[in-house]
Amino acid sequence: MRTIRVGESDWLVLDDAIQPRFLIHHGPAVNKLTGETLMMYRVDHWVLKRAERWPLGYYDTLAAAQAAAEGELGVPKFLAPVTGPDGQIVTPEEQRQRWAAGLDPRSGKPRLLP
């Protein structure tokens, strides 16, 4: 993983194949509950079109944002429901939970780790 600075308040997180995976932006973020504005590091999944990016999360420090991006590098995106081997529909949320638990996202059986 490499992080390069691409602007005054932007960093691009690259994977081992030097492909951009995440964009970190330092800027204002509004807390919806309290209404207060804080300067936070927002980590977005990288796609070329800005309108198609989706957030990974908001973090207080650049190091925390980089650690979150690094932790997500090996995780598949899980954007669409899939059909399991038994014919059941597996939602993206269920796929993420299975992956985090060390299970195959489609079948729910233990996956072989490399």
Side-chain angles (χ1 to χ4, degrees):
M1 179 191 99
R2 301 181 88 179
T3 303
I4 58 173
R5 191 168 194 161
V6 293
E8 187 175 317
S9 59
D10 295 318
W11 293 263
L12 200 56
V13 178
L14 309 172
D15 61 10
D16 292 333
I18 314 299
Q19 296 294 320
R21 294 290 304 274
F22 297 98
L23 176 70
I24 300 173
H25 175 74
H26 185 249
V30 177
N31 185 326
K32 290 182 181 180
L33 297 176
T34 64
E36 77 179 315
T37 302
L38 302 169
M39 294 298 286
M40 303 283 288
Y41 290 90
R42 183 184 72 233
V43 180
D44 289 331
H45 289 83
W46 169 258
V47 292
L48 191 56
K49 293 182 180 179
R50 178 183 292 238
E52 295 177 5
R53 296 178 191 160
W54 68 98
L56 175 66
Y58 292 86
Y59 303 92
D60 291 328
T61 64
L62 179 59
Q66 288 175 320
E70 183 177 355
E72 288 290 314
L73 277 179
V75 178
K77 294 185 180 161
F78 304 123
L79 297 178
V82 296
T83 304
D86 57 356
Q88 296 277 347
I89 300 295
V90 183
T91 65
E93 293 79 25
E94 290 174 302
Q95 293 175 51
R96 282 188 205 93
Q97 290 173 354
R98 289 178 179 182
W99 181 269
L103 304 174
D104 180 79
R106 186 177 294 258
S107 67
K109 296 179 181 175
R111 69 174 190 255
L112 301 174
L113 297 175

